[in-house]
Every structure is written in structure tokens, then in C-alpha cells.
Amino acid sequence: MCRSLIFTIFLIGLVNLHIEAQELIYGRYTTKEIEFEAVDFEPEADAVVLGEISTNKIVIPELESNVLRRIKILKPSGIQHGTVTIPFYSGSNSYVRMTKVKAQVTNIVDGTPKTLTLKEGDFFTVDLGNGWKEIRFTLPDVQVGSIIDYQYSKIDKRLTILEGWVFQNQIPTLVSIYSIDIPSELNYRVLSQGEQTLKHKFDWKKDGTYKWILKDLRSFKEEPYMSSPSDYYEKIEFQLAGYGFRGSNSVFADWPELAKHIVNIESFRSYIKPNKTYTQKLQELNVVGDNQLQMAKAIYDYMLENYEFDGYVGILPTDHIKQLLETKKNSRPELNLLLLAYLNQHGIEADPVLISSKGNGRSNIIDSPFADQFNQLILTVMADGKSYFVDVTNKEVPFGYLPVDFHVEKGFLIKDKESRLIPIQVNHRSGIQQSVNFKLEGGNDWVSDATIRFLDYDGIRMDRLKEKNGEEYFQKETMGFNMDQTQGFSFSSRNDPRKVVDMKWQKTFSTNGEELLFIEPFLYSRFSENPFQADSRTFPIDFYHGFLDNFNTSIDIPDGYELDDFPEDVSVALTNGTFSFNYKVTAMENTVKINSTIDLKQHVLPAILYQDLKYFMEIVTSKLKEPVVLRKTTLP
Amino acid sequence: MFLALTGFFFSLHLKATVPYFSILSHHTEIILQDDYTVTYKVKKSTLILDKKGLGHGNILIPYSEIHRIMAFEGRLIDPSKGRVVKKISAKELSDYNNISKDALFDDQRVKFYGMGEEKLPMIVEVEYEVKQSGNFYFNSWYPLWYYNQKVEEATLEIRYPQALGLRYRKYHFDLAPDSSQFGDEISLSWKMKGLNPLAKEQENQAMYLKILPKKFSLEGFEADMSDWKNFGLWFAKLMVGKGEVTASLKEDIHRQVRGLERDTQKIEALYRYLQENYRYVYIGLGIDGWMPQNAAQVHQLKYGECKGLTNLMRSMLKEVGIDSQYTLVNAGVNEEDIDIEWSSNQFNHAILRVPLEDQTIWLECTSKTNPVGFLGEFTKNRHVLVITEDGGIIDKTPDYQEPAFNTFLTKNVIELKEDGNAHIEGEYIFKGNPSNNFLGLRTTMNGKDQKSFLNRNLGGSGLLIFDFYLEHHVENFVPTAKINFTGDLQKFAQNTSKRVLIPLNWKKISKEDLMNGKLYVHDIYEIHVSDKLEPENKLPQITDLNEEYSLKINTSWKEGVIRVEKHLETHFTCSETGNDLTALWQKVNVASIPSIVFKKIE
């Protein structure tokens, strides 16, 4: 019987790779390791983790972890791996202690191993602030062929959530082993992430030891259009699910029970159920609005104007409502809960929702009541029968929009007995609507009037870029204007009823009486160059939000000109249909109209589509620059 | 050091309209002793008026083995009641490592107290004393600590033994010090009152006072800082005995230069040996921050910091009969040049100067990628202090403005397909500064990343490299990167119903290419097109000559092959950066934008 570990992954079978774990002993190398020269699945690698093992044992009240890692240097550029840093979270109360750190490097000189060992004074502990520390050391005489072993023990007093193990490294890893020995009175649930880890077959024994053995893990590197590396690591973590005899006492039986626990925390409760003093104070806010949505927006705007976000995030408030009302500055949970309190006191339904934002390293939320999966508190607001997700920490983000790294799959709704995981569906119609008209004014002077509307998240993005960089930089760098040809630029922004940024300008240019005139019909595109230049892709491509761009250009053909040529119509889509591009030219008597749409329906695309996406983007960027050709019929 | 970390400036010519969030009064006492110790006593009172000024009340005291905090007292006072709200003891200060960037470890630490959500207004009073062993480190005095801060009173008193001597220089103020003498001790003091706040934009009107003792010492090494020659002598002392070459190192050295006759060949061979076998690791403890490691020690460890690696290279060259000089520089891409009129420690890095009969070679000994004799952005074009046995001398590193250091040549043979895609075979040669991008490719990236990097940086849009061969070499100390590649160009040409448009400027000039001010480009394209295409009209010939650049593009067409030859020379000053650089970049690329237009024929 699997007595104390509940696995949320489907068990395919068991494997026994125990021998490999035993073979990794500090300072003892196999002939295969000594002769190892290149990683077959990543031949360009300059160094490799030959093996690593993390052996863990819970001896209540502590978790003791012994870690051994073996690195081999394969190329001159890999010599940098002779310097090692081991970060760890110690906390303000020294939750974690690092002991028994040792390291050595072995070179084979004339067929004989020559080993150099670090002394105690060669290890440095660095305090990085905010509870983080780092052990640093560097090994001498590191060269191509060197084998580096280092080992340490970590004592961790935190048993509610165990740190677990990341199976991947910055360099490829041949084998990564994690084992944990859990006493029968504790019951843990596994939080897994990463394709290999989720599918992985693991080993367990009757004595309470559980083991994961992952092999041939690719090195981990950031790629463009990727939210955060930590969301993709192959890793496991453990959350305490029960305790007592055979772990029979659940920490939380279900989501409502977890919600009840959270709501009963005094600081949290002070917002959800404020006492009379604060109820009155909250109700005193004069809110004007014809309907719930208008009132909710008014309260939201009031909060933005009068309260300041201090940059800290979390899922639980540390401060009571009283403090926030006095200081008017606090972290995300306090601000969002105060918004909730204001809304509730004005008859508008609002509930807290916990999410794991992108970059939190928990992209795979499991349907078990563990609060540690989450890192942010937002709200869901019901106004006039329609629901909105809200976060009141950013002055640039209007009511009903979330930061783009909050666009995640699921969140935990805290709502009495209805508490559960809910989908985070942020309704928006982001996109760019471009309308351009070209006409000849005077002898050889052409004018193009451009109006571009940026909607929803695209509007928020443009507002932010202009605010951050100033107008001159915005025009030159963001919009790519040639300032000698640009006149009458205007920028306006509004939040209601949705986020809209409007820009207008004129582009002028003169001809020199050429017979052929080439006109690029569109003046702006979110993809002026193909952003995907890498050869291949390992991780999904994250655009953060979908969009629908609609470009319309009309060119008035003046007397003395005729339409000679124009780009061919195109209609292409990625194989899964989530990204499509259409381009159509309609020629009429004195006008030619060019219409194009770029439609991204799903903002995260799987890596398998990368080559198609790369070519798709090349078509899009190239096509949008193709010219319409006018021919002069009356030559001077 | 604590004063320098505040890093804020002041001007006497401010408009009073700058808002202020706090009012500061402070008194600093600096006592120099015969034994070269220095005591700093600081009393500071900050009245915080606005929450934007909360940070002005933060307490930040750097310390190390050389700077020890001897006393500390702090308190928060409610000004409305004159009552002490909170006493801050030394134990309540957070204590952090303040390790320099790129250091594995050093002993710099900081004591810190951050202001919370205190009710305002609030007075933060702090008194502390720091004792410094050795007077090598000496920081400027700033009457104003923060922007948007008014100063009620700022005083500085310096006491020093006459024999030690003192130099000072005032910036943007004329106030002379009150001076007095008691026996051998001289006292100088400045007192300022009612200073208006400074906005961040006004930092270039800074008021500050540079102070230095004439004689100084650090951990027993005494010297005179009154001129560069004497200052350099101190560094020369630190290097005594550090160049010892062990038998095993000698063996390694002579193995590298076996069969080589010319000095330049030996320099190149030993530099390559250094790059391939040693790595940069900085561990700075006490005076180790300034004293180079022994050459023998670096040889054994196979790592060292800039001083140790430079000293090792110097020792290796000496072993083969080539003299070189340890040289100090203020390194960094955006670092200001040193003030050569103010002999003092203004340096953060060491390089090596090798004077040969007909040229001077500069070696950056921490880089695993720099070609021999090429300094790159980190240390080029700035004044340096060269350490000789006779003392320090000021020299300047090269600016690499000559054409030989700013050239790239490309040859592109392109086979255009009907759908607008193309196949390309390219040979690109980058000389000097333009080669920088590609020098570290082999050592810092794996094969897959190298291809991706080249796809992004080698040419224009749509490049997909299949194979490439990258070769580095150095010709007369000019680094050169040569890249031969084959690949595809996705959507190289644009198709309309009747025409094909082929870009004249597929490989655009990047802003980085223009950064050095001088650039010499020669691009050749041979574009093979289908026999179903013919030129629409006369092929474009472009000549654009102006003060900033000259551009010539010649195109010709013969038997299905278009030949495009592009010559570009830029010649503007390096100061044209930011928006001006953007405008120039637009011009250089836009000027050559017209495409070659081909008609589709049946």
C-alpha cells in the first residue's frame, strides 16, 4: 500500500534504476565518466552534469537533504563551471542551514587521477538580502576533462511545503535522482511540473522511500516570447496533505475548508467581514453611478487615486484594514481586499481569487487544496450580472484588466462553500485597427492620413510605453517614425467603456516625377521584423494575450496615374488554426483598397509549431511591406 | 566611503522652485592621524516632511575589514511633541554583504535601516563613527545627500597632522575653509547654511569637495599621493616579489614560445595560453583588493582577478625577455575618464601595456575572447596609470578610429526562387570593432545558440543558416572575424502580381555598428534570378554624400545575375548617441532602401 504519498500523476509502472543511484559516490568515478567527451542529445554542450542525487529524509521536525552533483568540463568555454554558487532561502529565522559543504576537482594527468580538494576557508556564504543566501566557491586548475564533485547537506525546518528538486540545470544533465524518506505520520502531495516529470515513472518502497530518476535532461535557457524559465523547469515539490496515524488527519479536506481557514485569519477577515466602525467608514465613500459597473469603476478609480501599491505581493494580507485605511499604502493582497470591502459595502459582489502568476514556477495548478501553489491575490467582481477579474495596483490598468502575467489558466475562488478552482477568463478584444488614406496633394506631394486605434491590452501597452519613454522617443523608437516625414501627431487615451488609445498623424513624401510609384500601404505593424530568428525552439511561445489586428488602407489614384500592380492576395493560418493572416487587395475605378487581418486566438502556442510560426511570421512581416504600384500615365 | 555612496550633488545656482521632501542638517568630522588611521564622525538629522522623502531617512553605513563601525546611535523623533518615538540600536541595523559585481566574494558589507510607514513629519537622527585603517580610501564630501532635499546646515571639519599634508579641490562653490593650527595639527572647516534643494536633472551642477592626504598608507605600505609618479610608486611597491616564476611555470612558458622568434609572436602565444588556461575569479579581502596575487599562485590555481592575471602575463613576458607594465584603468563601457589633474585612486581594473620598438600593445588579461592587443569597449579610449619602477605615468589607451579597426566586407551569392525565398552563400569579414560581436561566439555559446545568434545578427530579415564556418585571426593586432555560411532567406524578395522587388539593403547597418563613429562597409551581392524576370527600368545607382556619411550603390545586370556593390563610410563624432544616432541610423538605412524592380515576363 502506498501509505503516505498521494500522487496526482498517472502511474504507468515502476522502474528500478536503483543501481545508478548507488554508483554516484563522492570522489569515485567510473571509466565511462572519465572517458566521457560529448553529450549525444546536446553535442554543443561545453559542460555536463554527469549525475546528481538529492537524498532526503524527514526526521520530524526537520528535513535533511544531502546533495551530490558531478560536473564534467567538455570544452574550454565550460571552464566557467568551475565556479559554483548554491542559493538557498534561509529566511529571517534561519529556517535552512547548510552544512558539510565539500568540493573537489579531479584531472587525469598521464592516466593518473590528480585531485585537488577545497579547504574550509575556500567556501563563502553571502547574504543576498530578503532571507536569501548563497554559498560560493571556485575550484582550482579547472580544465577541459576536469571532473568536479561537490556535496552539501541542507537542514530545513519547513515541513508544510518541501522545496523538492529541480531536475534541470544550465548545462545538460545525464541523470538526476531525487529520493525522499517520509515517516508514516506525514502525508504529502506531489506538485509536479515539466513534461518529463509529469509523465515520469517513479519508484517507491514499503519503507516510505520514494524516488524519481530522470535522464537526459536538456540544458535550460531563456527564449524570446517566454514568460519565465521557472514555469517550465522539470521539478517536483511536496505539500503537506495530512498528519497523524498514517497521515489520516488532512490538513485541508477540500477547497471550502482551505477557504474557511484563510477567511478566519484575522487580517483577512478584517476586509471580508469588517466590523461596524469600518463598515461605516467604507459606506461613507460617496459613489456615483447609474449601475453596478459604473459604481465599481468609480470605487476602483478612487482606490487608484488614493492608495499606493508598495510593490510587495502575496496571497494573504499582513496588515489589518485599519492600518491600510490610515497609511494608504500597502501590498497587493491588502489593496485588492480593501477594494473588495468597498465594493461589498456598496452592494457589489466581489470575491478573492488566488492565482499563480507567470514566473511563479507553478504553471500546473493541481486540484487539491494547497494555498502554497499561489502567489497573488486578485478579485472577481460581479457587476450587473457580468463577471470581471480585477487588480487595483496599477494606475495604467483600468477596471476589468489584469497584468498580462496574470493571464493564467486557473485560480482559487474563495467564496464560502462555493470555493473551488475556476478558470481565469479575461474577456478582451485586444488588437490594432489601422486606417490609412493616401492621396496626392499638389504636384508631386503625397499625404497619407493615418488613424490607429489600439484596443484593450494593446492600448494599455502603448499608454505605458509613451508614459515611460516620453513622446519623442515613443514616436521615433516605438512607432518608427521618420520625423522628417511626420506631421500632426496626436495621442489620446481613454479607459471607458474599454481601454482605447487613438493615434493620428500624417506622413508626407514627394516624388520626383518617376514613372512608377511604389507605396507601402501600412504605416505601422506590431511585427515590423520577424521576432523569431532562433534555429529551433524548446519551450512554448507565449504572446501573453490574443489579438485581432485589422488594417485598412485606401489609395486615391489621382488623375494622371493608374493602378499598375499590387500584392497578391494571401490567406494563411498555422496548422492548428490559432494564428491566421489574411491580405486582400480590391481595385476600384479611382481607388485601391488593401485590407489585412492578423488574428491570434490562443496566446500560448506549443513549441512544436515553432518552425511553422517562424515561416508564418516571415510571410506576415514581408507581406505587410509589399507595395502597391501606380504608373504615371501622363509623363511631363 | 559612506559619503560617496550617497552620491548626490548640489548647486548654489538653483531655482527655489524645486520641491523638497526633507530638511537635512549634518556635521562630519574627519580626523587623520600620524599612524594613517582615519576617523569619521557623522551627526545627521533629517526632518522628513513627505512620504516621497522617506528614503532620505534610511541609514546606510558601509564597512569592511578596513572600515570598522566604532559607534552608532539612531532615533526617530516626533517633531510635534519633541518626543523620541523609537531608539535604533546597532543591533537593529540589517547587515548585508555588499559584494562588488562580478566578485565571487569580498569583505564589503553594509549596515542598513530602512524607513517604514512612519507617521510624518518625522525626524531621523543618527550619529556614528567609522574608523579606517589606512588613509588610501578617501571620499568626496557632499553637502547635499539627496535630490529634493533642503539643507539647513552642513558642516565639515578635517583635522590632520601637518606632516601628512592634505589636498582638496572645490567643485561648483567658492567658499574658503576656516583654518587653524594647534601644534602640528591643522584644522580646516566648511560651514554652509540654507541650501536649496536640487532636482535630479541638475546633477551636472554638482557641488562637492574632493579631499586627499598627501601621504598615505594601507596595511603598512606607505607612499605619497601628491602626484601620479609617487602614487604609481606605491603600486610598484605592492608588486615587489609578486612576479616570481616557478620551475613548472617556466616550463609552461617556454613550451608556448618554442620556435618563435619575434616578440609579437611570443606575446600572441602567451596571451592565447593565458586565455585558454586561466579564468577570471575575484576574491577581494582587505588589501588583496589592490595587491596582485603572486604569478606562481595564479599559475597553480588557474584563476585570478584582473591584477593577478595581469601580473602573471607580465611575469610570463618578462621570462621571455619582453618588458611590460602593469596599468590601472577605470574600466566600463559608460565610465567617465579619470581626472588626470587629480592624482588619486580612480581605478577599478588592471590591464597590461607592452611597449615594443615600433608600437605599443595593450592586453586585457581577464578576457577569454578579446584578440591579442585589442581592448574593446571596456577599456579603450581613456587615460590610464602605467606603473613603472620609477613611478606612475599617465598614458591613454587607443580609440580604434582607424579604418583598419572599423571595416566590414561582405560577399553574398543569392539564388532567388519564384516564391520570393532564396538560397544564400555568404562570406563576411569583420575587422576591428565590428568583429567584437563574433569573437566570443565559440567560447560563450553552444552550436545551436551560435546559429540563432548569426540568424539574428549577421544579415537582414529571414536568414536561416544551415552551415557556417567561423575563423578568427589577428593581423598586425587588428582582430578579424571571417564567417562563411550557407542558408536560406525566407521571403527575401517581395512579389506583386507583375513584379518582383529585390532589396538593395538586405543587410542593414545596426545602431551598434555606428556606435564607434567610423565605419567602412563594402557589400557585394550577386543575385541570380529566373529567366522569367527582367529589369523594369534602369537599375538604381545611388550616391549620397554628406557631412555624416558617404554612400554609393552601383547595380548592374548581366545574363540573369544582378550585381550590387555598396560602399558606405560614416564619419561623425562618437558623442552622437541616443536620438541623434537613431536619426543617423534611419538615414543610412533609408537612403539605400529603393528596391530593384523586376518585371515578370511570360
Side-chain angles (χ1 to χ4, degrees), chain A residues 77 127 138 141 477 564-565, chain B residues 97 279 301 443 496 498-499:
Chain A
S77 59
D127 190 337
T138 193
D141 202 13
E477 301 292 334
D564 184 77
D565 194 7
Chain B
N97 290 99
R279 68 190 206 276
L301 293 172
T443 47
T496 62
K498 298 179 186 174
R499 295 178 176 83

Side-chain angles (χ1 to χ4, degrees), chain A residues 44 77 82 127 136 138-141 308 477 481 518 533 535-536 564-566 614-615 618 625-626, chain B residues 51 97 103-104 279 301 421 443 446-448 452 455-456 461 464 495-499 511 582 586:
Chain A
E44 64 276 11
S77 59
D127 190 337
R136 298 180 179 183
T138 193
L139 288 141
D141 202 13
E308 194 183 340
E477 301 292 334
F481 289 166
F518 295 85
Q533 303 287 335
D535 210 31
S536 59
D564 184 77
D565 194 7
F566 46 85
K614 190 168 157 49
Y615 190 59
E618 207 56 56
K625 289 177 192 161
E626 285 183 1
Chain B
K51 63 180 179 182
N97 290 99
L104 182 75
R279 68 190 206 276
L301 293 172
N421 296 328
T443 47
N446 65 40
K448 185 177 137 189
S452 297
N455 284 343
R456 277 196 308 276
S461 183
L464 195 62
N495 272 309
T496 62
S497 304
K498 298 179 186 174
R499 295 178 176 83
K511 283 184 193 171
T582 300
Q586 279 180 340

Side-chain angles (χ1 to χ4, degrees), chain B residues 333 374 376-378 380-382 398-407 431-436 509-520 548 570-577 581 584:
Chain B
V333 175
F374 189 70
E377 295 293 323
F378 197 52
K380 76 175 190 186
N381 192 26
R382 65 196 73 196
D399 60 6
Y400 303 117
Q401 291 282 298
E402 303 94 315
F405 286 101
N406 296 287
T407 297
K431 293 186 173 184
N433 291 304
S435 72
N436 258 349
I509 307 297
S510 72
K511 283 184 193 171
E512 289 70 30
D513 291 333
L514 296 172
M515 289 295 276
N516 202 40
K518 300 282 185 290
L519 187 65
Y520 303 83
E548 293 168 321
T570 66
H571 28 76
F572 60 96
T573 57
C574 294
S575 59
E576 288 180 68
T577 54
L581 186 68
L584 181 69

Side-chain angles (χ1 to χ4, degrees), chain A residues 19 105 202 216 304 310 454 465 495 498 500 594 610:
Chain A
I19 296 164
V105 58
F202 59 91
D216 296 346
L304 281 183
D310 66 9
F454 295 85
L465 284 169
N495 292 342
R498 59 192 291 209
V500 173
I594 306 99
Y610 180 72

Side-chain angles (χ1 to χ4, degrees), chain A residues 250-296:
Chain A
S250 296
V251 176
F252 299 111
D254 51 24
W255 291 107
E257 200 174 314
L258 173 61
K260 191 177 168 187
H261 172 77
I262 291 172
V263 172
N264 280 334
I265 295 169
E266 194 186 340
S267 57
F268 203 99
R269 196 176 181 78
S270 72
Y271 297 89
I272 300 284
K273 292 182 180 166
N275 67 27
K276 216 173 184 178
T277 312
Y278 301 110
T279 306
Q280 271 180 349
K281 205 163 187 173
L282 295 165
Q283 286 171 351
E284 279 167 13
L285 181 69
N286 184 24
V287 182
V288 180
D290 294 336
N291 53 43
Q292 284 187 321
L293 183 59
Q294 282 184 11
M295 288 172 67

